[in-house]
Amino acid sequence: MTRTHGGRLRRRGPGVPVALLLPAVLGLVFLVLPLVGLVARTPWADLPQRLAAPGVLTALRLSLLSATLATLLCLLLGVPLAWLLARVEFPGRRLVRALVTVPLVLPPVVGGVALLLVFGRRGLLGGWLDATFGITLPFTTAGVVLAEAFVAMPFLVIAVEGALRGADGRYEEAAATLGAGRWTTFTHVTLPLVAPGLAAGAVLCWARALGEFGATITFAGNYPGRTQTMPLAVYLALETDVQAAVVLSLVLLTVSVAILAGLRDRWITSP
């Protein structure tokens, strides 16, 4: 037993077995060491000049824009899908939930190939879009948004569905008994109830979209100023200028850490 600052006694837990402690420490080192290496190899002396390079700013601007548009697309489509999975019983719901999570385990390059087979000029829908509306999605900025939304939407759907399942349904029932329609109940009761989960899912979705590489380079290509996002710029710089690749990677690392810091109250500090 140990005494806390408040004077109360707290039971001391059993000691940590060395057989568990050692691999745990090694696992932590394995995860953190590459990040330390990245920070250690960063050319801090000329960092401002490298960050101000035109190619870097263009790739960063395109990444932020495409990730934000992809997140908005995921919110528009993913929130209703999450509500359907959480609130409605229908045949094949488990299959639909499994299909939603497929992009999580699908190799991103395969996702890009699949997008080409559907939205390419000779794809299932791409040929019709091109012939009817003159819309071409592959190798365009819109293609970048589409590829990022494809791989990022499962993060949003899973987070929102979990929040909906954990929300107290009595508020929705009370709103219905007071005469509120389903849409009014959804917008004025359900969405405020799941707002923290919705925000967390949107942030994770945005972060995943920001770091997307495989599907983007396969479906949208790597054209500076049009489809070259930060991950693609890192890949290109790694072949020509390692220091530039390190700087670009540091930018993405900083954004990731900022996202984790923003979510610390929800996940990191939870027991």
Side-chain angles (χ1 to χ4, degrees), residues 1 37 57 73 79 102 105 117 121 161 202 214 247:
M1 303 285 283
L57 292 179
L73 180 61
V79 172
V102 165
V105 297
L117 295 177
R121 285 190 172 181
E161 185 191 358
V247 171

Side-chain angles (χ1 to χ4, degrees), residues 243-254:
Q243 295 296 320
V246 171
V247 171
L248 295 173
S249 300
L250 183 67
V251 173
L252 291 178
L253 174 62
T254 303

